[in-house]
Amino acid sequence: MRGTSRTVRHRDRGKPLVPLGARSVCTALLVAAVLTGCERGSSKGPAHPDTGINGCPTVHARAEAAVRQAERTDVPWHGPTGGPRAVPDKTIVYVAQTMTNPGVAGAANGVREAAKVIGWNVRVIDGGGTPAGIQSAMSQALALDPAGIVVGGFDPNSTSQQVARADAAQIPLVGWHAVADPGPSRKPRLFTNVTTEVGDVAGISAQWVIARSNGNAGVVVFTDASIPFAKRKSDLIREELATCAGVKLLSYENIPIQDASSRTPQEVASLLFRYQERWTHSVAINDLYFADAAPAFRAAGAGGSGPPSNIGAGDGDPSAFQRINNQQYEAATVPEPLSQQGWQIVDELNRAFSGRTDSGYVAPVHVSTAANSRGATSWNPTGYKEAYRKIWGTPGR
């Protein structure tokens, strides 16, 4: 199951995925799930995708080639090797959308680590995942009069007044997953936004499904449409899946990240009852959905290695790697290099303080599986710490 070209094998015809004794419970959950108002996809999926017939030969071949490239682990550092020396004695604030989001927390940890090396102070303020909480966190950040602010995983337009105040005070803002694209942003004003290319992440996660399923799959997509970055990612995933005629979107599940722990188990239970063996693969905009889905999969008797086979289109936190390495309801992730991105955030702020332009670096897309992670619990490009230390002139710290 670890290769990219194998056909996924499923249960025998007629064997239910949900135990008969759980049907009444699942029926109740189905009703509850419908009442929550989740957006549903078409229920027409392939009855038995393991026919051996390729559902989209040309698209499948392209997907296999892309996945093979993305699974490589020997890609050398191609980020910045030059830039300004460390500007001393700075205090920065990392405003987090919510520290329960592993990606947001992972990038914050990278910022903390890099700040120690460059000699800065860092304050992390948790927005709690709500609009009011994030606005309050941004106001608290401004009250500290920092040298720079990190917009950690939320739309700056939701705090437009605070962003305007930061701009007026000439406090540079650097985003992490703050807007859809990497690089500088004029509206909202960001010195730069640190992220992988959302189109690349969405594309490779959908291509992984196409490659792994031999072009025959019934797919559920999990997203948080309240975050523009996440919604765009899931929309692009759907577009790429649609390029293969043998891949059917069974359901598009809109579950806000802050509600994932409470809602995902019920949604997954109802989906298992509804689609049974037609549900062969899942793509989530964040790995945490599969952590929350695991109890429902387990209760239904689904094997940890699938089906369904699940891939997270971000963020690649340690718990996701542990699920992948232990074959516990997640088969792959498209990880953000969270530590490297934290270091990059610090480097970008140092460039802003020095009157320079942003570095322009965008980390390459990567697919991590049990086969290529070899027990690791994160993925980052090789050589980034050495490169940034050399740029800042802090090799001994």
Side-chain angles (χ1 to χ4, degrees):
M1 295 294 290
R2 295 178 181 175
T4 58
S5 62
R6 295 184 184 178
T7 301
V8 178
R9 300 298 178 188
H10 304 284
R11 291 172 171 79
D12 295 335
R13 294 178 185 270
K15 182 178 179 181
L17 184 61
V18 181
L20 293 175
R23 286 183 182 271
S24 60
V25 175
C26 289
T27 300
L29 290 174
L30 176 59
V31 173
V34 171
L35 292 176
T36 61
C38 287
E39 181 181 352
R40 300 290 182 180
S42 169
S43 63
K44 295 180 179 179
H48 295 282
D50 57 343
T51 60
I53 300 173
N54 195 311
C56 52
T58 302
V59 174
H60 177 259
R62 184 177 70 244
E64 281 201 313
V67 170
R68 278 196 300 270
Q69 175 64 28
E71 288 180 340
R72 290 182 55 187
T73 58
D74 58 347
V75 178
W77 172 251
H78 68 278
T81 55
R85 293 278 174 151
V87 178
D89 302 323
K90 296 294 183 181
T91 295
I92 62 174
V93 178
Y94 185 105
V95 179
Q97 181 249 354
T98 171
M99 288 295 280
T100 62
N101 182 327
V104 172
N109 290 335
V111 168
R112 288 188 178 111
E113 183 182 45
K116 289 181 180 179
V117 172
I118 205 170
W120 295 352
N121 297 314
V122 179
R123 172 81 178 271
V124 176
I125 303 177
D126 191 347
T130 67
I134 293 168
Q135 290 173 10
S136 175
M138 278 292 283
S139 294
Q140 291 177 57
L142 288 165
L144 294 172
D145 192 26
I149 296 174
V150 183
V151 178
F154 60 90
D155 180 5
N157 289 313
S158 67
T159 58
S160 57
Q161 292 183 353
Q162 290 88 348
V163 169
R165 287 167 53 195
D167 191 33
Q170 297 185 323
I171 299 173
L173 304 181
V174 169
W176 181 84
H177 285 213
V179 294
D181 298 309
S185 171
R186 294 184 63 184
K187 293 183 179 180
R189 185 175 293 279
L190 298 175
F191 178 75
T192 194
N193 182 51
V194 177
T195 179
T196 49
E197 289 280 2
V198 64
D200 292 343
V201 174
I204 200 65
S205 60
Q207 288 172 324
W208 181 89
V209 170
I210 294 169
R212 189 181 179 100
S213 69
N214 201 37
N216 293 280
V219 186
V220 173
V221 174
F222 295 92
T223 191
D224 181 349
S226 69
I227 303 174
F229 181 90
K231 185 178 186 302
R232 185 183 178 208
K233 185 190 293 186
S234 56
D235 288 345
L236 292 171
I237 289 168
R238 290 199 290 183
E239 290 178 14
E240 185 65 30
L241 291 171
T243 64
C244 180
V247 173
K248 305 300 179 185
L249 180 65
L250 301 177
S251 187
Y252 180 84
E253 295 293 316
N254 176 23
I255 303 175
I257 285 176
Q258 64 265 26
D259 299 333
S261 61
S262 61
R263 285 184 51 187
T264 303
Q266 293 185 356
E267 295 295 334
V268 168
S270 65
L271 289 166
L272 287 167
F273 179 77
R274 188 179 205 179
Y275 298 113
Q276 299 193 33
E277 64 183 15
R278 285 183 294 163
W279 182 7
T280 67
H281 293 77
S282 312
V283 187
I285 56 95
N286 191 302
D287 296 289
L288 64 83
Y289 289 98
F290 299 127
D292 297 324
F297 284 131
R298 195 173 292 113
S305 59
S309 294
N310 304 316
I311 182 170
D315 290 310
D317 67 286
S319 66
F321 277 85
Q322 290 167 3
R323 288 190 298 275
I324 291 166
N325 292 333
N326 296 323
Q327 295 187 331
Q328 288 298 303
Y329 307 104
E330 188 166 359
T333 185
V334 185
E336 293 291 312
L338 298 174
S339 177
Q340 178 273 315
Q341 289 177 336
W343 283 62
Q344 182 180 349
I345 287 168
V346 169
D347 182 63
E348 302 292 3
L349 284 170
N350 191 58
R351 291 169 190 269
F353 301 153
S354 303
R356 304 286 188 89
T357 58
D358 70 294
S359 72
Y361 177 66
V362 180
V365 71
H366 179 73
V367 174
S368 290
T369 65
N372 68 3
S373 67
R374 299 181 179 87
T377 57
S378 64
W379 176 81
N380 290 282
T382 58
Y384 71 95
K385 291 183 180 180
E386 295 81 1
Y388 286 125
R389 286 176 184 272
K390 185 175 180 181
I391 291 170
W392 302 334
T394 57
R397 291 185 183 175

